[in-house]
Amino acid sequence: MERYIVRNIDRPDQTIIEQFSKLDVSTVYEAQGKIGLVSHELQTVKPGNKICGPAVTVTCYAGDNLMIHAAIEICKPGDVLVITTIGESRTGMIGELIVNALLKRGVQGVVTEAGIRDVAKIRECGFPVWSKAIHSQGSTKSRGGWVNAPAVCGGASVNPGDLVMADDDGIVFVKKEDLKLALESSNQRMAKEENTKTRIERGELSLDFYNLRGILEKENVVYYESEEARTARKSC
């Protein structure tokens, strides 16, 4: 099996990245047809962090971070390092030293389906990380893998240069070829939500403007004026 590193990848236009950065993960996920969402098992290390940038993908063998070290050289400012593993891994494959090296390269953040350590230091420097686990166990550096190869992270497929968005709600990937359509759909969704907010502010009920009363009726949901009324009907 060939193991390889691709040095140069196609990245989205910076203008598009800036437009996506104004959006949130939930909006983009819904707008692009409820695809690209990464497993909820990957959690942010520090609430309030938000990133939006092109993916540099890394595939390592579980418990071995050799390819993460190789990927540092490939990263460019604004990139997001997306780390997947062959085999389940909660080993602390990234710590303070690697984070410092990524900061030096201008990397925005890390999404990893493995573990991390030195969390206090990572929080202190403000570097955004989403990971599956926090674990002190160290990793080896002896197994070759892949940098900038197609990967699956947290159950979602990601290719080098795909857009990675992450915030307090989670992580979503947007395929390079779908960026324009996803952006247009996301902006339309945001406009629709603004209209919905206005209707709520006016006192309108979501049951009515979403036409949900008919569904309640179809599901045989019955209204009672009080618990006593419900009990009285049941006793008849």
Side-chain angles (χ1 to χ4, degrees), residues 19-34:
Q19 292 181 70
F20 269 102
S21 68
K22 300 174 184 177
L23 302 169
D24 59 78
V25 166
S26 295
T27 294
V28 174
Y29 159 67
E30 294 278 358
Q32 69 170 352
K34 297 185 177 180

Side-chain angles (χ1 to χ4, degrees), residues 45-181:
V45 169
K46 186 177 182 179
N49 279 334
K50 182 178 180 179
I51 55 175
C52 179
V56 170
T57 62
V58 185
T59 304
C60 304
Y61 282 88
D64 191 287
N65 70 357
L66 174 64
M67 300 312 295
I68 297 175
H69 288 275
I72 294 170
E73 179 186 20
I74 306 304
C75 290
K76 293 184 177 180
D79 286 344
V80 176
L81 201 63
V82 178
I83 303 165
T84 66
T85 59
I86 298 174
E88 184 74 13
S89 178
R90 287 179 170 79
T91 300
M93 294 173 64
I94 280 187
E96 180 187 7
L97 298 180
I98 286 179
V99 163
N100 286 341
L102 292 171
L103 282 167
K104 192 71 174 178
R105 303 291 292 185
V107 173
Q108 279 197 58
V110 167
V111 171
T112 175
E113 62 179 12
I116 62 168
R117 61 183 187 177
D118 301 331
V119 173
K121 293 293 186 181
I122 293 173
R123 287 174 177 157
E124 183 180 328
C125 74
F127 186 74
V129 176
W130 284 254
S131 72
K132 184 181 287 186
I134 296 171
H135 197 193
S136 289
Q137 183 179 0
S139 56
T140 58
K141 298 171 178 60
S142 59
R143 303 202 66 183
W146 296 261
V147 175
N148 283 330
V152 176
C153 180
S157 62
V158 57
N159 292 320
D162 285 349
L163 192 69
V164 183
M165 295 182 63
D167 58 24
D168 286 344
D169 283 346
I171 309 150
V172 68
F173 300 138
V174 185
K175 298 295 185 186
K176 286 181 292 186
E177 60 269 24
D178 297 335
L179 284 172
K180 290 185 178 180
L181 179 59

